[in-house]
mmCIF file of all heavy atoms in Angstrom:
data_model
loop_
_atom_site.group_PDB
_atom_site.id
_atom_site.type_symbol
_atom_site.label_atom_id
_atom_site.label_comp_id
_atom_site.label_asym_id
_atom_site.label_seq_id
_atom_site.Cartn_x
_atom_site.Cartn_y
_atom_site.Cartn_z
ATOM 1 N N ARG M 1145 6.428 7.125 -64.140
ATOM 2 C CA ARG M 1145 6.786 8.478 -63.693
ATOM 3 C C ARG M 1145 6.191 9.455 -64.687
ATOM 4 O O ARG M 1145 6.584 9.480 -65.855
ATOM 5 C CB ARG M 1145 8.301 8.639 -63.632
ATOM 6 C CG ARG M 1145 8.954 7.860 -62.501
ATOM 7 C CD ARG M 1145 10.445 7.906 -62.680
ATOM 8 N NE ARG M 1145 10.913 9.282 -62.608
ATOM 9 C CZ ARG M 1145 11.372 9.841 -61.505
ATOM 10 N NH1 ARG M 1145 11.446 9.163 -60.414
ATOM 11 N NH2 ARG M 1145 11.779 11.089 -61.507
ATOM 12 N N LEU M 1350 19.431 25.055 -62.790
ATOM 13 C CA LEU M 1350 20.230 23.950 -63.341
ATOM 14 C C LEU M 1350 20.516 24.167 -64.824
ATOM 15 O O LEU M 1350 21.586 23.825 -65.307
ATOM 16 C CB LEU M 1350 19.510 22.614 -63.112
ATOM 17 C CG LEU M 1350 19.608 22.086 -61.686
ATOM 18 C CD1 LEU M 1350 18.597 20.981 -61.443
ATOM 19 C CD2 LEU M 1350 21.004 21.576 -61.368
ATOM 20 N N VAL M 1356 22.916 22.760 -57.848
ATOM 21 C CA VAL M 1356 21.729 23.035 -57.026
ATOM 22 C C VAL M 1356 21.458 21.864 -56.081
ATOM 23 O O VAL M 1356 21.497 20.709 -56.476
ATOM 24 C CB VAL M 1356 20.490 23.283 -57.926
ATOM 25 C CG1 VAL M 1356 19.251 23.566 -57.088
ATOM 26 C CG2 VAL M 1356 20.744 24.435 -58.875
ATOM 27 N N THR M 1368 18.574 16.593 -50.809
ATOM 28 C CA THR M 1368 19.059 16.167 -52.124
ATOM 29 C C THR M 1368 20.404 16.852 -52.333
ATOM 30 O O THR M 1368 20.475 18.085 -52.406
ATOM 31 C CB THR M 1368 18.073 16.588 -53.235
ATOM 32 O OG1 THR M 1368 16.780 16.147 -52.858
ATOM 33 C CG2 THR M 1368 18.439 16.004 -54.568
ATOM 34 N N ARG M 1369 21.454 16.067 -52.389
ATOM 35 C CA ARG M 1369 22.807 16.632 -52.475
ATOM 36 C C ARG M 1369 22.962 17.491 -53.731
ATOM 37 O O ARG M 1369 22.365 17.184 -54.766
ATOM 38 C CB ARG M 1369 23.829 15.503 -52.510
ATOM 39 C CG ARG M 1369 23.890 14.712 -51.218
ATOM 40 C CD ARG M 1369 24.628 13.429 -51.433
ATOM 41 N NE ARG M 1369 26.018 13.674 -51.752
ATOM 42 C CZ ARG M 1369 26.980 13.846 -50.830
ATOM 43 N NH1 ARG M 1369 26.681 13.758 -49.548
ATOM 44 N NH2 ARG M 1369 28.220 14.079 -51.174
ATOM 45 N N PRO M 1370 23.769 18.529 -53.631
ATOM 46 C CA PRO M 1370 23.927 19.404 -54.802
ATOM 47 C C PRO M 1370 24.461 18.641 -56.009
ATOM 48 O O PRO M 1370 25.272 17.730 -55.873
ATOM 49 C CB PRO M 1370 24.951 20.446 -54.326
ATOM 50 C CG PRO M 1370 24.891 20.410 -52.852
ATOM 51 C CD PRO M 1370 24.545 19.015 -52.471
ATOM 52 N N GLY M 1371 23.988 19.005 -57.141
ATOM 53 C CA GLY M 1371 24.427 18.349 -58.375
ATOM 54 C C GLY M 1371 24.107 19.219 -59.566
ATOM 55 O O GLY M 1371 23.499 20.292 -59.434
ATOM 56 N N TYR M 1372 24.529 18.738 -60.708
ATOM 57 C CA TYR M 1372 24.343 19.507 -61.942
ATOM 58 C C TYR M 1372 23.418 18.771 -62.914
ATOM 59 O O TYR M 1372 23.272 17.553 -62.822
ATOM 60 C CB TYR M 1372 25.671 19.665 -62.669
ATOM 61 C CG TYR M 1372 26.766 20.349 -61.911
ATOM 62 C CD1 TYR M 1372 27.699 19.605 -61.208
ATOM 63 C CD2 TYR M 1372 26.868 21.733 -61.923
ATOM 64 C CE1 TYR M 1372 28.732 20.228 -60.523
ATOM 65 C CE2 TYR M 1372 27.905 22.359 -61.241
ATOM 66 C CZ TYR M 1372 28.830 21.600 -60.541
ATOM 67 O OH TYR M 1372 29.837 22.210 -59.871
ATOM 68 N N GLY M 1373 22.903 19.493 -63.833
ATOM 69 C CA GLY M 1373 22.310 18.923 -65.044
ATOM 70 C C GLY M 1373 20.935 18.311 -64.907
ATOM 71 O O GLY M 1373 20.237 18.469 -63.905
ATOM 72 N N LYS M 1374 20.590 17.599 -65.981
ATOM 73 C CA LYS M 1374 19.227 17.073 -66.094
ATOM 74 C C LYS M 1374 18.941 15.998 -65.061
ATOM 75 O O LYS M 1374 17.826 15.879 -64.567
ATOM 76 C CB LYS M 1374 19.022 16.505 -67.501
ATOM 77 C CG LYS M 1374 18.887 17.580 -68.554
ATOM 78 C CD LYS M 1374 18.674 16.986 -69.915
ATOM 79 C CE LYS M 1374 18.559 18.083 -70.962
ATOM 80 N NZ LYS M 1374 18.537 17.573 -72.314
ATOM 81 N N MET M 1375 19.962 15.199 -64.759
ATOM 82 C CA MET M 1375 19.758 14.139 -63.764
ATOM 83 C C MET M 1375 19.386 14.734 -62.412
ATOM 84 O O MET M 1375 18.500 14.249 -61.723
ATOM 85 C CB MET M 1375 21.038 13.293 -63.621
ATOM 86 C CG MET M 1375 21.194 12.261 -64.699
ATOM 87 S SD MET M 1375 19.864 11.069 -64.729
ATOM 88 C CE MET M 1375 20.209 10.163 -63.253
ATOM 89 N N GLN M 1376 20.095 15.815 -62.062
ATOM 90 C CA GLN M 1376 19.805 16.472 -60.789
ATOM 91 C C GLN M 1376 18.395 17.068 -60.825
ATOM 92 O O GLN M 1376 17.665 17.002 -59.830
ATOM 93 C CB GLN M 1376 20.851 17.571 -60.540
ATOM 94 C CG GLN M 1376 20.647 18.360 -59.261
ATOM 95 C CD GLN M 1376 20.903 17.542 -58.007
ATOM 96 O OE1 GLN M 1376 21.219 16.362 -58.077
ATOM 97 N NE2 GLN M 1376 20.750 18.161 -56.855
ATOM 98 N N ASN M 1377 18.031 17.607 -61.973
ATOM 99 C CA ASN M 1377 16.679 18.153 -62.117
ATOM 100 C C ASN M 1377 15.647 17.056 -61.885
ATOM 101 O O ASN M 1377 14.646 17.268 -61.196
ATOM 102 C CB ASN M 1377 16.521 18.751 -63.517
ATOM 103 C CG ASN M 1377 15.331 19.686 -63.591
ATOM 104 O OD1 ASN M 1377 14.851 20.176 -62.564
ATOM 105 N ND2 ASN M 1377 14.834 19.921 -64.787
ATOM 106 N N GLU M 1378 15.914 15.893 -62.438
ATOM 107 C CA GLU M 1378 14.987 14.766 -62.242
ATOM 108 C C GLU M 1378 14.945 14.329 -60.784
ATOM 109 O O GLU M 1378 13.891 14.020 -60.252
ATOM 110 C CB GLU M 1378 15.408 13.578 -63.133
ATOM 111 C CG GLU M 1378 14.883 13.667 -64.552
ATOM 112 C CD GLU M 1378 13.392 13.923 -64.624
ATOM 113 O OE1 GLU M 1378 12.625 13.142 -64.058
ATOM 114 O OE2 GLU M 1378 13.001 14.932 -65.236
ATOM 115 N N ARG M 1379 16.131 14.322 -60.136
ATOM 116 C CA ARG M 1379 16.183 13.950 -58.715
ATOM 117 C C ARG M 1379 15.339 14.915 -57.891
ATOM 118 O O ARG M 1379 14.550 14.502 -57.046
ATOM 119 C CB ARG M 1379 17.638 14.014 -58.221
ATOM 120 C CG ARG M 1379 18.327 12.664 -58.255
ATOM 121 C CD ARG M 1379 19.749 12.776 -57.758
ATOM 122 N NE ARG M 1379 20.631 12.204 -58.749
ATOM 123 C CZ ARG M 1379 21.667 12.781 -59.308
ATOM 124 N NH1 ARG M 1379 22.015 13.998 -58.966
ATOM 125 N NH2 ARG M 1379 22.384 12.156 -60.202
ATOM 126 N N ILE M 1380 15.488 16.182 -58.178
ATOM 127 C CA ILE M 1380 14.746 17.200 -57.422
ATOM 128 C C ILE M 1380 13.249 17.059 -57.680
ATOM 129 O O ILE M 1380 12.431 17.092 -56.763
ATOM 130 C CB ILE M 1380 15.259 18.622 -57.779
ATOM 131 C CG1 ILE M 1380 16.644 18.813 -57.152
ATOM 132 C CG2 ILE M 1380 14.298 19.701 -57.314
ATOM 133 C CD1 ILE M 1380 17.336 20.107 -57.491
ATOM 134 N N ARG M 1381 12.903 16.845 -58.912
ATOM 135 C CA ARG M 1381 11.479 16.709 -59.251
ATOM 136 C C ARG M 1381 10.887 15.471 -58.582
ATOM 137 O O ARG M 1381 9.739 15.475 -58.128
ATOM 138 C CB ARG M 1381 11.298 16.627 -60.766
ATOM 139 C CG ARG M 1381 11.600 17.942 -61.459
ATOM 140 C CD ARG M 1381 11.539 17.772 -62.952
ATOM 141 N NE ARG M 1381 10.185 17.495 -63.366
ATOM 142 C CZ ARG M 1381 9.229 18.407 -63.450
ATOM 143 N NH1 ARG M 1381 9.499 19.658 -63.160
ATOM 144 N NH2 ARG M 1381 8.025 18.098 -63.824
ATOM 145 N N HIS M 1382 11.700 14.427 -58.513
ATOM 146 C CA HIS M 1382 11.225 13.206 -57.848
ATOM 147 C C HIS M 1382 10.945 13.490 -56.371
ATOM 148 O O HIS M 1382 9.890 13.110 -55.847
ATOM 149 C CB HIS M 1382 12.278 12.103 -57.981
ATOM 150 C CG HIS M 1382 11.921 10.851 -57.261
ATOM 151 N ND1 HIS M 1382 11.038 9.944 -57.776
ATOM 152 C CD2 HIS M 1382 12.301 10.374 -56.044
ATOM 153 C CE1 HIS M 1382 10.892 8.949 -56.912
ATOM 154 N NE2 HIS M 1382 11.646 9.187 -55.857
ATOM 155 N N GLU M 1383 11.879 14.178 -55.725
ATOM 156 C CA GLU M 1383 11.675 14.479 -54.302
ATOM 157 C C GLU M 1383 10.488 15.418 -54.110
ATOM 158 O O GLU M 1383 9.723 15.254 -53.170
ATOM 159 C CB GLU M 1383 12.942 15.122 -53.702
ATOM 160 C CG GLU M 1383 14.143 14.201 -53.668
ATOM 161 C CD GLU M 1383 13.879 12.870 -52.985
ATOM 162 O OE1 GLU M 1383 13.082 12.830 -52.032
ATOM 163 O OE2 GLU M 1383 14.462 11.856 -53.417
#
Side-chain angles (χ1 to χ4, degrees):
Chain M
R1145 289 171 62 95
L1350 283 165
V1356 180
T1368 309
R1369 293 165 66 86
Y1372 301 95
K1374 286 181 181 172
M1375 279 299 289
Q1376 179 69 359
N1377 197 20
E1378 276 309 303
R1379 264 180 233 126
I1380 288 175
R1381 290 174 67 77
H1382 176 79
E1383 295 307 327

